[in-house]
Amino acid sequence: MSGTTDGLDLIIFVALPAVAMVLAIVGFIHRYRNHDYSIVSPSSQFLEARRHFWALVPFHYGVLIALIIHLLAFLFPGLLLSWNANPFRLYLLETIALSAGLLTLTGLCTGLARRLTSVTFRRLTRGGDWLLLLLILIQVLTGVLVAIFHRWGSPWFAAAATPYLRSLLFLSPDLGFVAAAPLLIKIHIANAFILLAYLPYSKLVHAIVVPLFYLWRAPITYRWRTRR
Amino acid sequence: MRRPFGLKLVIAVVVLLSAPHLAGQNASTFFRTNCYSCHTIGGGRVTGPDLKGVLDRKDRAWLTNFIRNPKAVIDSGDSYALELMKEARNVIMPTVPGLDAAMAIALLDLIEEEGRLEESNFMGLQLSDTPISDEDVFRGQLIFTGRSRLLNRGPACISCHSVSNTGLLGGGRIGPDLTRVYERLGGRKALATWLLSPSSATMGSVFRDQPLAQNEIPLIAAFLEFHAKNSLEQPAATGATYFLLLGFCGVSFGLGAIAFTWRRRISRSLKSSTIER
């Protein structure tokens, strides 16, 4: 069905992922070779500051759950479709995914409000940080809207997005699976590729460090050793 | 300098991926993918006319022109094209992407060749006209909701489609509502033939390698026929509301769990200026 696609689809589903993949790989190699100490996930002492806590913790747990569901649908589409074979289980999985999306959105909005209302934080936020926040906001918002209005996302991902993404990996893109997808889904996919491309050039690079133990370690608190 | 190399790599990959697929489809595959959902060859009328003997009814030049852009021929006021549209209950044949002059000729050759066979490869599904049974409807519902997994492991219908108020939170919304599809397509046989070879972009791709089994199609068709004849209204939109409410419950639970897990995170010995940020 490759004939049903138009130019915009070719840009979104063929050119964009190709450029994104190359930019991500080149950028990561460059950063690793030249600034490898910047590929870190530094503590921002987040568990002790109240608004920061309610921004980062819900955001990261939400994102992790949502990402794991996406990854499962990509790696084990058959398993996911078998799980969904009972409508109750389908509804359960979709509810978990939507809740994770809303949790992420809650955290993101708290974080944005914190940055926007505090003069100190606004001064510390650079252009690249704002761009990253904007991209993540678009991604999370479209994801939540897709989950609500284009149900059901999990079997659609397993049956349509997974074969499309795999066709990309085999360098023979099959756009038939996604060409007829609603606009919101196309934005969600295109923005995901942009985020991938931007990953090694932004502080989002901390995601590949996988600081898993942050999830259960005791909070770190910095204190001055001397009275000032 | 690595940058020029990176740039070259970007260009190389884009060119490689964007290269059009040059391998042409053969007529038989093209027919199965794009035409079979509405036409049989020797299997009788479905949504569109049976194409057996179509070359006896119209000449090649007219047919080539028509199948490449049906709407243009209808709009031109061609009397035969208007008659075809009326017979198809005003369904206009879509313009099929990738159907160029060479493919049109190849398709007409295929139709002529298949038409000469006693039983062509495109006979469609031959369903009986007997009234549907409750058991068929029930088994169709099991397939629709996914409780009976499709034989070739395709996704269940409910993933993308709704029918009446099937399912607590309803069916999917990414594909069209199927409550009235039995009437839209024009009955049991047209519906079954469509399911045999779905021609919509997404379903065409998803079911290309894992088609619906021939014994599943009559059951799904029976389920859809039952709902078209017995459902008075389109499904209510309550599914979305319940789903959203469940989502809010999930968030509340998540926030509650976070608050509980880290309830002792703020030590009394900390200065308030450290916390209130």
Side-chain angles (χ1 to χ4, degrees):
Chain A
M1 299 295 291
S2 55
T4 56
T5 52
D6 59 21
L8 187 67
D9 285 335
L10 277 178
I11 292 173
I12 294 177
F13 295 122
V14 182
L16 190 59
V19 173
M21 193 54 107
V22 173
L23 281 178
I25 292 170
V26 170
F28 181 67
I29 292 172
H30 182 262
R31 187 157 177 171
Y32 189 79
R33 290 178 66 161
N34 297 286
H35 311 281
D36 55 337
Y37 286 115
S38 75
I39 304 179
V40 287
S41 183
S43 161
S44 46
Q45 207 181 340
F46 59 81
L47 292 177
E48 299 309 314
R50 191 160 285 156
R51 265 210 291 183
H52 205 178
F53 173 83
W54 285 110
L56 289 200
V57 178
F59 176 82
H60 281 105
Y61 277 93
V63 157
L64 274 176
I65 297 168
L67 273 181
I68 287 170
I69 295 174
H70 282 74
L71 202 63
L72 281 178
F74 176 69
L75 293 176
F76 311 106
L79 195 70
L80 189 127
L81 290 178
S82 295
W83 167 268
N84 283 344
N86 178 328
F88 173 75
R89 294 199 303 240
L90 164 73
Y91 297 152
L92 181 69
L93 179 66
E94 288 289 332
T95 303
I96 293 173
L98 176 66
S99 307
L102 288 172
L103 200 63
T104 313
L105 196 60
T106 310
L108 189 60
C109 290
T110 316
L112 274 172
R114 171 174 168 268
R115 271 186 198 277
L116 287 169
T117 51
S118 153
V119 179
T120 324
F121 285 122
R122 240 191 358 244
R123 208 171 287 154
L124 285 171
T125 311
R126 283 171 293 184
D129 299 334
W130 286 121
L131 178 62
L132 183 62
L133 278 170
L134 178 73
L135 290 175
I136 292 176
L137 183 65
I138 294 173
Q139 195 62 9
V140 176
L141 207 57
T142 51
V144 166
L145 291 175
V146 164
I148 296 170
F149 294 109
H150 299 305
R151 305 189 300 276
W152 299 106
S154 61
W156 182 87
F157 194 114
T162 295
Y164 155 69
L165 290 172
R166 288 184 177 188
S167 76
L168 275 185
L169 287 182
F170 290 108
L171 299 185
S172 63
D174 188 341
L175 275 59
F177 290 103
V178 284
L183 184 67
L184 271 175
I185 292 186
K186 287 188 177 178
I187 297 174
H188 191 68
I189 294 176
N191 199 60
F193 290 134
I194 295 172
L195 269 172
L196 174 71
Y198 193 43
L199 191 138
Y201 306 95
S202 64
K203 62 181 183 183
L204 190 62
V205 75
H206 79 272
I208 57 168
V209 182
V210 199
L212 277 180
F213 71 97
Y214 275 29
L215 296 177
W216 53 79
R217 66 127 195 246
I220 294 169
T221 310
Y222 295 111
R223 294 181 200 199
W224 301 111
R225 288 188 60 183
T226 51
R227 284 179 184 279
R228 286 195 304 169
Chain B
M1 287 294 285
R2 266 180 295 276
R3 190 174 291 167
F5 172 70
L7 196 66
K8 277 182 214 158
L9 204 59
V10 170
I11 294 167
V13 173
V14 171
V15 169
L16 191 69
L17 282 179
S18 310
H21 297 276
L22 295 171
Q25 280 179 299
N26 71 33
S28 177
T29 313
F30 192 93
F31 188 91
R32 192 170 293 280
T33 320
N34 298 290
C35 318
Y36 196 26
S37 52
C38 295
H39 296 282
T40 68
I41 304 176
R45 175 178 196 91
V46 275
T47 307
D50 184 347
L51 297 179
K52 185 171 180 155
V54 71
L55 283 150
D56 304 332
R57 303 199 285 269
K58 269 288 179 186
D59 61 74
R60 269 180 180 264
W62 189 93
L63 288 167
T64 312
N65 187 29
F66 179 78
I67 60 181
R68 287 187 64 200
N69 196 347
K71 194 170 181 303
V73 180
I74 289 168
D75 289 346
S76 75
D78 185 285
S79 61
Y80 191 71
L82 286 170
E83 197 184 312
L84 287 177
M85 188 177 83
K86 212 167 133 195
E87 281 172 10
R89 303 176 315 121
N90 294 327
V91 174
I92 297 175
M93 176 175 147
T95 304
V96 183
L99 208 173
D100 53 16
M103 181 54 79
I105 292 166
L107 284 173
L108 289 175
D109 289 344
L110 174 85
I111 292 165
E112 200 171 19
E113 201 177 302
E114 290 284 339
R116 277 200 289 268
L117 302 172
E118 196 159 314
E119 278 213 350
S120 86
N121 292 305
F122 302 100
M123 293 284 284
L125 264 191
Q126 302 303 315
L127 299 181
S128 73
D129 292 328
T130 51
I132 48 174
S133 71
D134 287 349
E135 203 208 326
D136 284 352
V137 174
F138 178 69
R139 287 171 65 198
Q141 174 157 356
L142 291 182
I143 293 174
F144 184 89
T145 55
R147 284 180 189 273
S148 293
R149 189 74 203 272
L150 289 172
L151 203 66
N152 294 323
R153 317 306 280 171
C157 321
I158 199 174
S159 307
C160 301
H161 300 284
S162 296
V163 163
S164 286
N165 292 315
T166 303
L168 191 67
L169 295 177
R173 288 283 164 164
I174 204 166
D177 186 288
L178 298 182
T179 311
R180 301 264 168 239
V181 72
Y182 171 85
E183 292 159 4
R184 273 207 305 276
L185 284 182
R188 193 185 296 181
K189 195 172 169 188
L191 181 57
T193 306
W194 200 94
L195 287 170
L196 195 60
S197 175
S199 63
S200 69
T202 307
M203 268 187 86
S205 293
V206 171
F207 286 91
R208 185 182 52 210
D209 298 326
Q210 42 191 9
L212 294 167
Q214 296 233 353
N215 59 350
E216 289 166 340
I217 293 173
L219 302 174
I220 301 172
F223 171 71
L224 294 172
E225 181 175 340
F226 173 82
H227 276 278
K229 289 178 175 167
N230 296 284
S231 300
L232 294 172
E233 295 296 326
Q234 290 291 311
T238 47
T241 317
Y242 290 147
F243 182 50
L244 201 56
L245 282 175
L246 280 173
F248 283 124
C249 289
V251 175
S252 311
F253 174 79
L255 292 175
I258 289 168
F260 180 77
T261 310
W262 284 280
R263 64 193 177 282
R264 281 194 267 276
R265 74 183 191 281
I266 297 167
S267 138
R268 281 170 202 281
S269 62
L270 279 175
K271 283 192 296 186
S272 63
S273 62
T274 316
I275 303 161
E276 304 297 335
R277 281 188 286 160

